[in-house]
Amino acid sequence: MSEQRTVLCVEDDNTIRMLICEELAFAGYHVLQARDGVEGLEMVHQHSPDLVVCDISMPRMNGFELLEAVNLNDDDPVPFVMLTALGDRQNQIRGRELGVVDYLVKPVDFDLLLAAVASRIKRRRHSDTFADANGQFFSRQLLLERLEAARRVVAPVSVILTKIDSFLGLSIRLAPAEQQLLRSQVHAQLAQLAESGKVYGWADGCWALIERADTQDSDIPASMQRHEILVGGVVVNYTFSMLRIQVDWTSPELRRLDASALVEACALHLNFMSAGNARRFIYLGNADYHALEAARYAERNLAEAIRHGELELVFQPRVDIASGGIVGAEALLRWPGAAIGALSPGFFVPAAERMGLAAELDRWVISRMLQAVRQMVQRAPHTVLSFNLSGQSLGAGVPAYLNDCLKDDAQGIAANLEIEVTETSMAHLTPEVEQAIARLREMGTKLAVDDFGMGYASLAYLKRLRAEVIKIDRSFVTDIARQEIDAQIVEGLIGLARAMGCTVVAEGVETAVQAEALLNLGCRYAQGYYFYRPMPLDELLALLEAP
């Protein structure tokens, strides 16, 4: 940085404050710290920081009270980046009303935090109409006006967002003259793709453009190739990651967003998708906007949906393939009454993990699932009910919570339960988690590896886990009768499972041909639409009572 900027961190948790201050200092900022809002207000008056990173819930003076005190009657308000473990809608609304633009949920994603800090400091210094010294890049405000004009006449446009991979590390090494050279190079590379040659500055290391109508797909990868810049006499390479956004304003989901919210959300999406996987070209088309809207809705409303009981469990039977008899079921979570339509777990479970709600969600599932399994065993004593645990829940005391729920159970239903974890969740298997799972197994509860073959678990993890059940992912089942390689993979997975003493269950069986192929390969149990679709509990109980 050509001029060191000052950031004040106000956080009552000593560990979190220390980590944030270390990250900010490493990024080149002059860092101040305070333990609560009262100390923070004193630091602001003494040092006039360029930006405040602030927790919301603090003793003596909370983050919102500090924000109001700092910026009271101030024509040049100090930007705040708010941190909270709450993530609820009311706090976000109040923060927006007070001028908070960046609102990050704990645990802190430091890449997002650094990006937010750099962006807000730059905007305070230059405002949203910033253009560089040579006027090469147009302001982001002009881009938004161009998009809003297209929105008014319902004209489709294609926007490209592009970022330099590892820009923070690169920019720290650049002197002012080298920074100007980098901007000139970027402009020359991107102007070739841009409508009227106009490239817009969006944030530090991130630019935007309206794509030319005659741009070919082959033009995009060429812009992502390795580029060079001379830094202190040394050649340094850099690459781009890009996101192409097909903006069709006839889409109902899009028309609920203004241009600023749309591009800001997509810029964050680009940061997430390219983090740790640089040089990406990501396409976002009309079919993807429902997914973005669903994720956004879940992040705003999931906490209240859990509290108000808006979620529900459905149950998909597990069968013995040879006889067709029901031997158990899997409890599946649904959100049927969401205002934007029914949502599947694929939308709201990742949102729960991002917001720190995964453990609360799994406790809700466990409470309802225990009620269901008690009714199941009354009708069929040997049936098993399986349910998924999030990887975050494994490390958040949920296995111990289930243990507490079961230890005084007179029915002995622990032996009728099966906990499913994905292969990628195995990274959360700390000694404490393993001890909690071991106590459940002592009561008879089984452990299953879900989506087997799709994750990155090593055999060492599987050996350590000692699961009793392995569930073969549906992607290997779909073409098992048509693709020899899929049949060979399934046969290999079944052989591995047998060697480990595991029961095998195939998921996603939709045809009689698939079921027969699985049976011939030695897979005894399965679930899928060929046998039964997910159903309410009363329908499952009726099936269990049938002769």
Side-chain angles (χ1 to χ4, degrees):
M1 297 177 186
S2 57
E3 179 182 357
Q4 192 175 41
R5 298 291 165 173
T6 299
V7 178
L8 169 63
C9 176
V10 187
E11 168 62 66
D12 62 323
D13 186 301
N14 292 333
T15 301
I16 295 175
R17 188 176 68 252
M18 178 189 69
L19 292 172
I20 291 173
C21 290
E22 286 180 353
E23 289 288 334
L24 290 169
F26 183 77
Y29 297 100
H30 176 227
V31 184
L32 306 172
Q33 54 181 299
R35 292 173 296 183
D36 58 31
V38 174
E39 287 187 9
L41 188 59
E42 294 176 0
M43 299 292 285
V44 170
H45 289 155
Q46 291 175 15
H47 302 280
S48 300
D50 296 283
L51 180 140
V52 178
V53 176
C54 186
D55 189 19
I56 290 181
S57 300
M58 295 182 294
R60 298 205 293 173
M61 178 186 286
N62 67 36
F64 290 143
E65 292 167 342
L66 174 61
L67 171 63
E68 291 178 301
V70 167
N71 290 330
L72 183 66
N73 300 321
D74 194 338
D75 293 332
D76 185 22
V78 178
F80 273 60
V81 174
M82 285 296 191
L83 309 175
T84 181
L86 301 176
D88 65 77
R89 191 164 180 263
Q90 289 305 314
N91 269 303
Q92 294 193 38
I93 290 173
R94 185 181 178 196
R96 304 291 184 193
E97 291 172 347
L98 293 173
V100 178
V101 180
D102 288 291
Y103 189 99
L104 304 181
V105 177
K106 296 178 182 177
V108 179
D109 182 320
F110 291 113
D111 288 335
L112 279 181
L113 176 64
L114 292 176
V117 168
S119 175
R120 296 306 154 200
I121 286 178
K122 182 174 181 179
R123 290 188 204 177
R124 192 185 187 206
R125 285 155 46 198
H126 300 278
S127 84
D128 274 351
T129 59
F130 166 78
D132 69 16
N134 293 333
Q136 291 175 313
F137 295 103
F138 290 85
S139 71
R140 60 186 286 158
Q141 185 59 40
L142 291 177
L143 170 66
L144 299 179
E145 290 173 3
R146 169 71 176 85
L147 289 175
E148 286 296 345
R151 174 194 178 103
R152 285 193 295 271
V153 297
V154 199
V157 292
S158 176
V159 178
I160 289 181
L161 279 167
T162 182
K163 64 181 283 289
I164 291 181
D165 301 315
S166 304
F167 175 76
L168 180 61
L170 176 62
S171 62
I172 289 173
R173 303 176 61 181
L174 300 181
E178 294 163 341
Q179 292 180 17
Q180 181 56 45
L181 175 60
L182 176 64
R183 287 193 291 269
S184 297
Q185 287 186 186
V186 168
H187 184 272
Q189 291 149 5
L190 298 183
Q192 304 172 50
L193 306 174
E195 174 189 74
S196 303
K198 293 181 178 179
V199 183
Y200 305 86
W202 186 258
D204 283 339
C206 183
W207 297 270
L209 57 93
I210 303 292
E211 195 174 359
R212 285 197 339 257
D214 61 345
T215 300
Q216 302 296 317
D217 286 348
S218 59
D219 297 334
I220 303 296
S223 300
M224 297 171 61
Q225 299 305 312
R226 184 180 300 168
H227 303 282
E228 297 178 348
I229 186 171
L230 196 64
V231 179
V234 177
V235 174
V236 176
N237 295 309
Y238 65 93
T239 59
F240 291 111
S241 288
M242 290 185 173
L243 170 63
R244 175 189 274 167
I245 315 163
Q246 294 297 134
V247 185
D248 181 358
W249 288 117
T250 62
S251 166
E253 289 85 2
L254 279 181
R255 293 196 66 79
R256 284 193 277 267
L257 294 171
D258 60 26
S260 179
L262 171 65
V263 183
E264 195 76 66
C266 289
L268 286 175
H269 184 65
L270 176 60
N271 274 326
F272 277 125
M273 295 296 290
S274 62
N277 192 2
R279 206 169 162 186
R280 292 283 302 275
F281 178 64
I282 306 160
Y283 177 83
L284 195 65
N286 293 336
D288 300 297
Y289 292 119
H290 175 69
L292 285 178
E293 183 189 34
R296 187 167 175 244
Y297 180 88
E299 289 170 353
R300 290 182 172 183
N301 299 284
L302 181 58
E304 290 187 11
I306 296 172
R307 286 195 292 268
H308 297 154
E310 296 176 20
L311 308 179
E312 68 176 26
L313 288 182
V314 293
F315 303 84
Q316 185 169 41
R318 177 187 300 179
V319 303
D320 183 312
I321 300 177
S323 68
I326 296 175
V327 297
E330 179 179 358
L332 302 169
L333 190 57
R334 297 289 185 266
W335 189 352
I340 62 172
L343 294 182
S344 73
F347 291 128
F348 63 83
V349 170
E353 293 179 340
R354 289 194 298 271
M355 299 166 66
L357 289 172
E360 181 179 348
L361 183 61
D362 280 339
R363 288 188 178 95
W364 183 93
V365 170
I366 286 171
S367 66
R368 271 93 183 149
M369 181 268 306
L370 291 177
Q371 298 172 19
V373 76
R374 289 189 177 96
Q375 298 180 64
M376 288 174 59
V377 298
Q378 289 175 358
R379 292 156 175 83
H382 300 296
T383 51
V384 172
L385 182 60
S386 67
F387 64 101
N388 286 275
L389 277 188
S390 162
Q392 282 189 7
S393 296
L394 291 175
V398 173
Y401 168 77
L402 177 58
N403 190 297
D404 290 339
C405 292
L406 292 172
K407 64 184 179 182
D408 296 324
D409 180 70
Q411 275 184 281
I413 59 172
N416 299 91
L417 295 176
E418 186 177 284
I419 301 172
E420 295 188 18
V421 297
T422 62
E423 289 186 67
T424 50
S425 298
M426 294 181 191
H428 298 270
L429 288 177
T430 64
E432 292 76 16
V433 172
E434 290 185 82
Q435 290 171 13
I437 291 176
R439 287 192 292 271
L440 290 168
R441 290 171 127 166
E442 289 171 0
M443 292 187 286
T445 300
K446 297 179 180 62
L447 194 63
V449 179
D450 194 20
D451 299 335
F452 189 68
M454 295 298 292
Y456 303 96
S458 67
L459 291 178
Y461 264 131
L462 293 176
K463 179 181 176 182
R464 181 171 140 203
L465 188 66
R466 296 183 182 178
E468 289 89 356
V469 180
I470 284 179
K471 302 190 75 174
I472 296 176
D473 186 73
R474 67 179 60 244
S475 62
F476 298 118
V477 173
T478 301
D479 291 322
I480 191 172
R482 296 192 300 269
Q483 299 289 338
E484 184 178 353
I485 184 63
D486 285 351
Q488 291 172 344
I489 290 173
V490 171
E491 186 175 22
L493 294 176
I494 292 171
L496 176 61
R498 282 178 172 169
M500 298 173 61
C502 298
T503 298
V504 180
V505 179
E507 297 182 293
V509 180
E510 297 184 350
T511 67
V513 174
Q514 292 169 349
E516 183 179 0
L518 287 165
L519 191 61
N520 291 336
L521 290 172
C523 179
R524 182 175 177 183
Y525 303 107
Q527 64 188 68
Y529 285 4
Y530 172 64
F531 303 106
Y532 298 99
R533 291 177 176 269
M535 61 187 65
L537 179 61
D538 56 355
E539 292 185 20
L540 174 63
L541 297 177
L543 287 173
L544 293 177
E545 287 180 330

